[in-house]
Amino acid sequence: MAALKVDQAYVKAAASAREHLNTLIHQDQLAGRAFIRLAFNDALTYDKLTNTGGPNGSIRTRKELERPGNAGLSGVVELIKGLQAKYPALSHADLIQLAAVAAVAAAGGPEVHIALGRADSWSYPPPGRLPDPRASEDPVAHLRALASRLGLALKQLIALAGVHPLCGRWWPGDELPANPQGSPARFSNAYFRDVLEGKTDPWLLKDAETSHLVAEFAADEGVFAKEYVLAHEALSCLGTRLMAQGRSDSGGLSANGAGLLSEEQWALAQVAAAVVIGAAVAAGLYWRRRRRLLRH
């Protein structure tokens, strides 16, 4: 996936866009929750084997929005398009991921630090890439296959599932959970406690690995939050050279030089590494030749 050049002006525009997103989410809790699902559905189309799909903004295309797994997302896509028109330097792909970060934080969740620099794509992925474990005879095997296609660990997928109470689920047929009396949805490990109590997704308890992860996250919200941040950051970088290697103090925004590598910086790093390795090899050859000469 191509990357945009990110400079301080880009980061400044993204910070301003984040403030607008905060206002939108404050005004409409359901929009905020849909932002998370939008970002997940954009990213979960990634296929590491072909390096296609992923968080590239293609979910804004009519063809992709018409798919059953994306039902109900047209409205928040229009919000993203409106924001991109206000900040034309920013890509839709970055704004979609930034909106999810803002929504998680607004729900009392941890701050997820994401890299900036995703280029938009009009090439929508083939259908069938969004997860639908309930339609599978072996839901856990379905999730394992998904993790393998994405290049993520199963633990990361289970951690990401913990955000379900905020945004509904990833798979078709689920709606946003009820929000009685207008009380805001909050980030918590409630999903895993519900699984243990048999209220939802009992199939997660039928597999030793997923059952252990559910119990671990249900027992300690801090552990869940830590794993969630790592998983969300990894999801937001699929198919890019943007790597979640550090933190910034820019409210969840990281320029490609603040602990994160852009496509260009990654290439330069490779050149630098090659130069260092080449110098080391040359030095080794020089000293071996010198020792031979000294012996004679």
Side-chain angles (χ1 to χ4, degrees):
M1 187 187 300
L4 299 175
K5 182 178 179 180
V6 175
D7 54 18
Q8 289 305 310
Y10 193 99
V11 174
K12 184 177 180 180
S16 296
R18 170 72 184 261
E19 291 303 313
H20 277 82
L21 285 163
N22 290 341
T23 300
L24 287 173
I25 292 165
H26 178 74
Q27 294 172 345
D28 187 347
Q29 287 284 331
L30 288 180
R33 295 157 80 181
F35 280 143
I36 301 173
R37 182 170 159 239
L38 179 70
F40 277 30
N41 282 16
D42 197 32
L44 285 167
T45 59
Y46 183 62
D47 177 19
K48 70 174 185 179
L49 186 63
T50 59
N51 196 31
T52 57
N56 58 18
S58 67
I59 197 169
R60 75 193 189 283
T61 63
R62 181 179 60 82
K63 190 78 172 181
E64 199 167 339
L65 277 175
E66 288 176 348
R67 293 173 180 171
N70 293 325
L73 291 178
S74 297
V76 289
V77 166
E78 290 305 311
L79 291 178
I80 293 293
K81 288 181 177 179
L83 198 58
Q84 200 277 335
K86 186 175 181 65
Y87 299 97
L90 304 180
S91 66
H92 293 87
D94 273 351
L95 284 170
I96 288 170
Q97 296 305 316
L98 188 59
V101 165
V104 169
E111 189 67 56
V112 178
H113 294 256
I114 63 166
L116 299 171
R118 297 163 191 79
D120 286 333
S121 173
W122 288 102
S123 299
Y124 49 85
R129 289 191 180 179
L130 293 180
D132 189 7
R134 295 182 309 172
S136 172
E137 293 182 3
D138 189 339
V140 174
H142 179 90
L143 289 185
R144 283 198 171 94
L146 173 65
S148 177
R149 170 167 61 79
L150 295 173
L152 298 179
L154 181 62
K155 184 175 187 177
Q156 292 175 306
L157 276 187
I158 300 302
L160 291 170
V163 81
H164 282 165
L166 289 184
C167 64
R169 312 199 180 193
W170 309 332
W171 35 89
D174 284 309
E175 302 295 337
L176 284 169
N179 197 12
Q181 299 177 348
S183 58
R186 306 299 295 170
F187 181 95
S188 75
N189 62 346
Y191 169 75
F192 302 105
R193 289 185 271 112
D194 286 347
V195 173
L196 286 180
E197 294 172 8
K199 296 179 180 179
T200 187
D201 297 340
W203 44 269
L204 284 169
L205 302 179
K206 297 179 180 179
D207 177 270
E209 183 179 7
T210 55
S211 179
H212 171 77
L213 291 171
V214 167
E216 179 183 6
F217 294 154
D220 192 324
E221 188 167 299
V223 169
F224 160 58
K226 179 180 178 180
E227 292 296 333
Y228 176 82
V229 168
L230 295 174
H232 192 144
E233 290 178 356
L235 183 73
S236 76
C237 292
L238 292 178
T240 76
R241 293 275 171 80
L242 307 175
M243 296 181 288
Q245 299 185 102
R247 295 290 184 269
S248 72
D249 297 318
S250 52
L253 305 177
S254 297
N256 289 332
L260 298 153
L261 297 179
S262 70
E263 188 98 5
E264 180 180 350
Q265 289 172 319
W266 187 89
L268 289 174
Q270 298 301 301
V271 172
V275 170
V276 171
I277 293 171
V281 171
L285 292 172
Y286 169 78
W287 285 110
R288 282 198 294 272
R289 184 172 183 274
R290 183 176 176 81
R291 283 197 298 270
R292 285 197 302 269
L293 291 173
L294 289 174
R295 292 193 193 103
H296 298 291

